[in-house]
Amino acid sequence: MFGRRFHRVIMASGSGQALPSSDSPALKFKVVAVQGRARSSRMTLPHFTAHTPMFMPVGTQGSVKGLTTLQLEELNCHVILGNTYHLENRPGSGLVAEMGGLHDFINWPRGMLTDSGGFQMVSLLHLAEITEEGVTFQSPVDGSSMLLTPEQSIAVQNRLGADIIMALDDVVPTTANDPARFEEATHRTTRWIDRCIAAHSRPLEQNLFGIVQGGLDPRLRELSMQQLVARDLPGYAIGGLAGGESKDDFWRVVSQCTAGLPPGKPRYVMGIGYPLDIVVCSALGADMYDSVYPTRTARFGVALIPEGVLKLKNAANARDFRPLDPSCSCMVCRRYSRAYLHNVVTRGISTAAILVTYHNVAYTQRLTWEIRTAIEEQRFPEWVRSYLKTMFPKGDVPRWVREAMAASDISLEDAVTGPGSGTTSRNTTNPATATPPAPVPTDPLPISAAVRASV
Amino acid sequence: MLVSLAAHSMATTATHFSVKARDDKARCGILSTRNGVVETPAVLLYTRRGGPLNLTSPDMLAAVTPPVQGVQLSAMQFLENPDASILREYGRGAHGFLCLEGFPVLASNRDPTMYEYAMRPSTDKEVHVSIHSGGHMVSPERYMETMAALKPDLFVSLCDEVPADATSKRVATSIMRTAAWLDACLQLHYTYQHQNRQATGGGQEVDPQPCGGSSNKGNGACGRSSADGKGSADNGSSSAGEGPLAGSLLLAALAGGGLAMERARAAAAVADKEGVGGYALCGLGAGEAPEQRPALIAASLGALSPIALERRPVFASGLSASPEDILAAVAEGVDLMDCAFVAQVTAGGYALTFPLRPHQGWRPPAAPDEELIAEADRAPVREPQPQLDRAAPPSSSLFGLSAAPGLGPDTSIGADDTKINLWSTSYRLDKGPLLPGCGCFACRRHSRAYVHHLLNTHEMLGDVLLEAHNTGHINAFLQAIREAITEGRFEEYRQWFRSLRSAPLVPAPRRVVAKRRASAEPSEPIESEPGTVEVTMTGAMEVEAHVARGGSGSREQRRSKWVSV
């Protein structure tokens, strides 16, 4: 045990073999510290050098729900997301290009990533028809038809101008019980990546990431990875998760992919936003995450705190004058009380929603900062144990987390008690402060409730 | 006893007001409070349940330029969720609870964007209000208990608000009740000023029974005094004036509904009663027409002696329907106003763009008809005004002039933009700021196209940017008003502002004219070069021009034709 730790320290300090890195035309990725499978890295993009592991807030329609770009900078966000499908609907990628690209249009100087529109295949499935050519969508806004082919998706993303663009992949919801469909989707994703590469007109300014598919089938995942890696892309995403799959399946797929993808390139697990998921995936060696969860749950009056979540509308908060998170130093936690926010969240006063959103983004950014720092200071396992102790004070860490940590070579001895009993149940000490994570948020769109707000 | 009451309230109040400049009835003043200074006339930031609608405090609030000077909140929204006991337990008043440190806070009796009164009948003892949690009956005791928990810098006494069309009988009743409630509030104010400080830092439940009634004065009788020793007055200051409302200014509600005579009567009865630190014009924005308001305000304030008004600020609630409303109120001597206008235009997707200062060399026009004739007979083309925008001071100093197209309202060609509607698709590709020359957060950082997109996609950020801009614009407007009063040209400023709405017609440049029609109908309007500034001819202007030309039937067209730009 001691010898292995010693060996790891040497590796990280550089006197052993060199740390992984890669040099793509528009992206430089450099791992600066490793501990176990976790790594802390720097990713130099055309607009900004991001630090990973990092969480990327989602600004679907060109704004992160009420926050100004100045606030996003103050919150230390490095990369934010825009959504190809929605931005093409309104205002249109042509207009954005005329405005100088998405960065200039919304006045965000740092990193930007655009999704391909593929996710909407799942979230708007009832409006989509998938063929070899592409996906035909019926616009939810005006019912008009929009054909999204790999070429179209890349063309739109080229016009939007983000630092990282995503290939159009054939996404199947993990809950689908259709092995043939998964097989088809895996191979089609590879055919589409070639079409995306061919269509990409700005390879020196925008990085095209491929997305590993394959559902929950290790064989298909392996196949997908091999085929993508053969294309030598600047970075790789692990897609098709954050659906309704069980956590046991989820972490195993992530683990297989981080083990199989080249270490010198960034790994992006799409749709991850639950703090616990971020910690587990980082332990398994992933680098980038995105989700609407922190910002969306804020608008439902739910604040992210070290113990889990805080449901502000709960009556116990009416006289609780503590800040949302006493350990948080964000503007909201330094000045506002739970008692104040309790009365005004979800009541149609935008400011209240923005305040909780602000904290939730601050919380998630601080979480990833702590992860990076712990890896760089070679105390990541201790940090993980302490994090889990706070979240599970009675030691009932879910089984899937224990297994994932074992696979990450992180011992949890003092953080857990006894063999795992529950899988996803969380215990609480005080209903006001440590309620279980919010159930899958209700959402008018049938599938997006399950996807992207990972259970 | 009453004399000592006065002496105490004047000595202990930390909020005080003094007039610095006058121009007829309009006045500039300084209102200093423990939480900051307000230069009046001023418009107070609107809040709902204690917070601005879209601007987070402190960062976005601090970013408004010119700065927000003070904040208005409705005490009625703190009757429940939260209520006074929760605020007391918290212990740091509205400033702490709502994160409004550094801003003077005025707690009024109503929310200017909604009307809480007259849903159900009130009684002689209590007024009925409808708030977020339903209906409540509010007595002076309950009202003042809420005020004491909020600890504002100024507050309005309890008023029996009536709509503008209330009968004279109802109005008379409201005056009687409001007067009785004022006396009760004055007594309670005194009590809360001199009450020993609450035990802070603990969740100690306090007796919710407020000190009421005329027999309980000063210390000891309330059940909240220094029985436990914690609230004792050995904090280095005198025992008097350490209560929760020490330093708060009471603004006496001036009632009277929509009846001028009644308003005068009610105001005369209040006069300069001891303990009254200022006046609050109530009953406005209650259904009366905007043009009636100046007379109603004048009726109330006219019944007060100049000495009474000298050291007392005047707050008007519910009247901010438009900039003209603000000007009319200031002209009558109002110092502070709440502001529904910004909230309403922001919610509508508008950015305020009205010019704030006359261009150099502007003079009040002579009689309009002569002006028209004289201009038409002179050289047809008015010289272009010098371009001032390059030399213009930064940020809010916005001259009502721009020679180049698309750079703000161009008053020399008769544009009178008040606001632009960012929903309009004409802004889809507009890279310019909401208002060129404006130095606010939104105009410095974002474009009209982006704001239009945000509105279109129902993103909250659209409202955030518009509120930042509109709040700044209104603040800049009041700044220009204060300058005009200080320089003794307020009436001229009002004339100029009015003139924007009915600017004299600008003669068209000479051009080859199509053969005139033989009929008696007025000629068709000539299309000019497509302008980048849109001006629509209103019906009134058409008639005015028509009349100026000597009516229909005249073939002698010595004057300029209308121009549709």
Side-chain angles (χ1 to χ4, degrees):
Chain A
M1 177 71 98
F2 180 77
R4 278 167 68 199
R5 287 165 84 179
F6 189 60
H7 171 67
R8 256 183 251 126
V9 170
I10 290 178
M11 244 190 92
S13 69
S15 51
Q17 64 192 80
L19 292 171
S21 69
S22 67
D23 221 325
S24 305
L27 181 153
K28 284 163 199 19
F29 189 75
K30 192 161 154 6
V31 176
V32 299
V34 172
Q35 193 167 16
R37 293 172 68 174
R39 63 277 186 83
S40 177
S41 321
R42 304 288 179 264
M43 181 165 64
T44 302
L45 300 165
H47 283 87
F48 197 70
T49 298
H51 295 204
T52 69
M54 72 168 165
F55 176 78
M56 304 178 284
V58 178
T60 306
Q61 303 193 98
S63 100
V64 180
K65 293 300 184 251
L67 295 176
T68 67
T69 48
L70 186 63
Q71 286 171 324
L72 291 169
E73 271 186 76
E74 288 164 359
L75 288 166
N76 202 28
C77 299
H78 290 183
V79 178
I80 64 175
L81 254 74
N83 187 274
T84 295
Y85 172 79
H86 289 291
L87 288 171
E88 177 65 2
N89 254 324
R90 300 181 291 199
S93 58
L95 186 148
V96 173
E98 267 190 75
M99 290 291 133
L102 198 53
H103 282 88
D104 282 359
F105 184 52
I106 76 173
N107 194 8
W108 170 246
R110 296 185 173 183
M112 189 92 72
L113 187 153
T114 45
D115 186 18
S116 61
F119 173 66
Q120 275 66 44
M121 270 191 253
V122 177
S123 67
L124 301 174
L125 190 56
H126 60 294
L127 299 171
E129 200 197 320
I130 305 163
T131 63
E132 182 65 26
E133 194 191 353
V135 189
T136 307
F137 283 108
Q138 214 186 6
S139 165
V141 177
D142 59 5
S144 61
S145 248
M146 179 177 131
L147 173 62
L148 192 63
T149 63
E151 291 78 10
Q152 264 288 68
S153 172
I154 297 302
V156 168
Q157 294 188 74
N158 284 150
R159 286 192 284 269
L160 294 174
D163 300 81
I164 299 172
I165 65 176
M166 304 306 297
L168 185 67
D169 51 342
D170 188 0
V171 195
V172 184
T174 42
T175 45
N177 191 9
D178 190 350
R181 178 75 186 97
F182 277 108
E183 179 102 30
E184 176 193 48
T186 306
H187 293 288
R188 181 175 289 153
T189 295
T190 305
R191 290 193 291 277
W192 280 3
I193 186 70
D194 288 333
R195 286 165 64 181
C196 289
I197 293 169
H200 187 19
S201 62
R202 300 175 65 185
L204 301 179
E205 300 158 272
Q206 297 180 281
N207 296 285
L208 174 61
F209 278 27
I211 308 179
V212 178
Q213 292 294 341
L216 304 175
D217 183 346
R219 179 187 66 86
L220 288 176
R221 285 280 172 180
E222 193 59 42
L223 203 62
S224 186
M225 267 195 290
Q226 281 169 8
Q227 291 170 349
L228 283 181
V229 171
R231 271 86 179 157
D232 192 28
L233 297 163
Y236 302 96
I238 302 163
L241 294 173
E245 74 278 352
S246 78
K247 288 314 228 197
D248 293 321
D249 292 327
F250 161 71
W251 82 260
R252 286 187 168 81
V253 173
V254 174
S255 179
Q256 180 192 3
C257 291
T258 54
L261 289 167
K265 301 225 168 136
R267 300 119 170 215
Y268 166 25
V269 189
M270 307 185 78
I272 300 304
Y274 275 43
L276 185 59
D277 293 354
I278 291 176
V279 173
V280 170
C281 290
S282 299
L284 290 169
D287 310 298
M288 300 159 60
Y289 317 100
D290 82 285
S291 176
V292 296
Y293 173 70
T295 43
R296 180 176 289 175
T297 205
R299 299 196 299 284
F300 294 147
V302 176
L304 300 177
I305 58 175
E307 293 81 5
V309 298
L310 178 66
K311 288 185 177 165
L312 282 162
K313 286 168 73 171
N314 190 304
N317 291 307
R319 292 192 114 92
D320 192 340
F321 302 120
R322 290 176 293 171
L324 294 173
D325 173 6
S327 71
C328 179
S329 60
C330 80
M331 174 185 84
V332 178
C333 292
R334 274 187 283 119
R335 298 182 133 88
Y336 290 90
S337 61
R338 299 173 180 194
Y340 167 70
L341 292 167
H342 162 76
N343 291 304
V344 291
V345 291
T346 75
R347 304 277 179 216
I349 300 173
S350 288
T351 315
I354 296 171
L355 287 171
V356 185
T357 303
Y358 190 100
H359 163 75
N360 281 3
V361 173
Y363 181 84
T364 330
Q365 294 307 316
R366 183 174 123 232
L367 178 74
T368 49
W369 179 85
E370 287 186 5
I371 291 173
R372 295 194 294 268
T373 311
I375 297 170
E376 286 169 23
E377 292 176 4
Q378 296 295 292
R379 49 177 182 81
F380 184 58
E382 292 100 277
W383 183 88
V384 171
R385 285 192 285 274
S386 145
Y387 178 81
L388 291 174
K389 255 195 283 202
T390 311
M391 195 179 261
F392 305 103
K394 295 196 180 164
D396 55 335
V397 176
R399 184 169 57 99
W400 72 272
V401 175
R402 299 179 207 213
E403 292 175 351
M405 288 306 171
S408 312
D409 225 355
I410 292 178
S411 151
L412 297 181
E413 336 99 352
D414 54 341
V416 306
T417 53
S421 49
T423 46
T424 56
S425 67
R426 312 235 193 282
N427 217 331
T428 63
T429 47
N430 179 344
T433 61
T435 51
V440 169
T442 55
D443 193 287
L445 299 173
I447 299 203
S448 69
V451 189
R452 291 274 171 169
S454 56
V455 159
Chain B
M1 183 45 101
L2 289 174
V3 172
S4 70
L5 190 75
H8 270 301
S9 66
M10 288 315 232
T12 59
T13 187
T15 306
H16 72 270
F17 176 74
S18 57
V19 178
K20 292 288 175 242
R22 273 175 229 282
D23 192 346
D24 196 8
K25 283 193 274 182
R27 49 204 214 157
C28 273
I30 303 275
L31 174 74
S32 63
T33 76
R34 274 191 294 218
N35 289 285
V37 170
V38 181
E39 291 180 19
T40 68
V43 163
L44 302 171
L45 182 81
Y46 168 74
T47 62
R48 185 171 297 169
R49 301 190 70 174
L53 286 177
N54 298 288
L55 298 176
T56 50
S57 177
D59 62 341
M60 287 304 290
L61 214 51
V64 176
T65 45
V68 169
Q69 292 202 83
V71 171
Q72 171 266 332
L73 57 82
S74 168
M76 297 304 187
Q77 290 169 355
F78 293 88
L79 294 169
E80 189 172 28
N81 292 335
D83 61 12
S85 77
I86 291 178
L87 291 169
R88 270 199 302 273
E89 206 182 310
Y90 178 77
R92 288 173 35 218
H95 290 89
F97 195 66
L98 308 173
C99 187
L100 293 173
E101 284 100 345
F103 292 105
V105 168
L106 187 153
S108 68
N109 67 326
R110 64 170 285 206
D111 179 322
T113 67
M114 26 183 126
Y115 197 63
E116 306 101 311
Y117 294 89
M119 296 285 163
R120 295 206 175 280
S122 303
T123 69
D124 284 352
K125 296 209 180 343
E126 297 169 313
V127 72
H128 182 274
V129 289
S130 280
I131 59 171
H132 53 266
S133 60
H136 291 262
M137 298 301 292
V138 184
S139 65
E141 289 72 33
R142 186 173 179 196
Y143 187 68
M144 289 303 289
E145 185 196 14
T146 306
M147 287 302 178
L150 288 168
K151 300 198 246 192
D153 299 284
L154 311 91
F155 65 94
V156 178
S157 69
L158 188 63
C159 177
D160 185 22
E161 294 268 4
V162 295
D165 58 355
T167 62
S168 52
K169 184 158 174 265
R170 178 67 185 93
V171 170
T173 308
S174 80
I175 293 175
M176 181 195 70
R177 290 176 183 168
T178 304
W181 294 345
L182 171 61
D183 286 336
C185 287
L186 284 165
Q187 297 285 5
L188 291 162
H189 185 208
Y190 180 83
T191 307
Y192 280 115
Q193 279 178 314
H194 298 277
Q195 187 183 83
N196 292 316
R197 193 176 287 162
Q198 304 292 330
T200 54
Q204 196 169 358
E205 188 61 47
V206 291
D207 180 359
Q209 287 299 319
C211 308
S214 51
S215 57
N216 287 340
K217 297 231 180 7
N219 42 6
C222 305
R224 261 182 290 191
S225 63
S226 53
D228 57 356
K230 278 194 190 167
S232 67
D234 56 0
N235 305 320
S237 45
S238 64
S239 60
E242 281 307 317
L245 285 179
S248 293
L249 207 65
L250 184 150
L251 305 174
L254 301 180
L259 304 176
M261 298 269 288
E262 293 288 76
R263 292 194 73 98
R265 182 168 74 82
V270 172
D272 53 357
K273 218 176 249 215
E274 291 81 356
V276 169
Y279 301 103
L281 293 158
C282 297
L284 303 173
E288 77 283 354
E291 38 287 6
Q292 294 172 298
R293 281 181 206 137
L296 296 175
I297 298 175
S300 293
L301 298 183
L304 299 167
S305 70
I307 299 173
L309 284 168
E310 179 64 34
R311 300 288 306 275
R312 295 186 173 87
V314 175
F315 167 65
S317 168
L319 56 75
S320 303
S322 64
E324 285 82 359
D325 248 1
I326 294 174
L327 286 169
V330 168
E332 293 301 328
V334 170
D335 306 297
L336 296 166
M337 288 155 279
D338 60 19
C339 188
F341 183 59
V342 165
Q344 287 158 351
V345 298
T346 302
Y350 290 90
L352 296 175
T353 54
F354 57 85
L356 301 173
R357 288 178 177 77
H359 55 265
Q360 267 181 16
W362 181 85
R363 291 284 170 268
D369 289 336
E370 297 166 15
E371 171 82 4
L372 203 59
I373 298 166
E375 281 188 8
D377 285 344
R378 277 198 303 261
V381 180
R382 190 178 288 189
E383 301 89 16
Q385 301 295 328
Q387 295 210 25
L388 288 178
D389 46 320
R390 265 182 250 114
S395 81
S396 59
S397 186
L398 192 62
F399 293 93
L401 173 76
S402 172
L407 279 186
D410 193 338
T411 54
S412 70
I413 64 163
D416 60 355
D417 301 345
T418 296
K419 52 192 183 289
I420 56 173
N421 185 343
L422 272 304
W423 283 96
S424 167
T425 53
S426 62
Y427 299 116
R428 278 186 73 239
L429 289 160
D430 195 332
K431 288 189 189 175
L434 294 172
L435 177 59
C438 175
C440 81
F441 180 91
C443 291
R444 274 186 289 113
R445 294 178 60 88
H446 294 291
S447 62
R448 290 173 170 183
Y450 185 51
V451 176
H452 168 77
H453 164 71
L454 292 171
L455 289 178
N456 223 16
T457 49
H458 306 283
E459 288 282 331
M460 272 188 276
L461 185 61
D463 286 358
V464 170
L465 297 177
L466 286 176
E467 183 162 315
H469 169 79
N470 291 334
T471 308
H473 200 76
I474 283 289
N475 290 347
F477 180 49
L478 269 295
Q479 205 173 61
I481 288 175
R482 289 194 292 272
E483 280 173 22
I485 296 173
T486 308
E487 294 166 19
R489 50 175 180 82
F490 180 63
E491 194 46 46
E492 196 179 291
Y493 184 85
R494 279 188 83 192
Q495 277 193 38
W496 165 75
F497 203 88
R498 260 194 299 247
S499 77
L500 296 175
R501 310 300 270 159
S502 53
L505 301 178
V506 175
R510 283 250 188 267
R511 52 169 70 228
V512 174
V513 170
K515 184 157 165 273
R516 203 170 293 142
R517 267 199 246 154
S519 73
E521 299 301 321
S523 330
E524 298 300 317
I526 295 176
E527 301 267 61
S528 72
E529 306 282 330
T532 50
V533 179
E534 291 178 5
V535 172
T536 34
M537 300 279 283
T538 64
M541 287 174 79
E542 289 175 345
V543 170
E544 192 185 302
H546 193 56
V547 163
R549 289 206 316 275
S552 64
S554 161
R555 294 229 202 152
E556 295 298 318
Q557 300 275 355
R558 275 177 299 138
R559 297 177 191 89
S560 58
K561 300 196 186 341
W562 324 336
V563 174
S564 103
V565 179

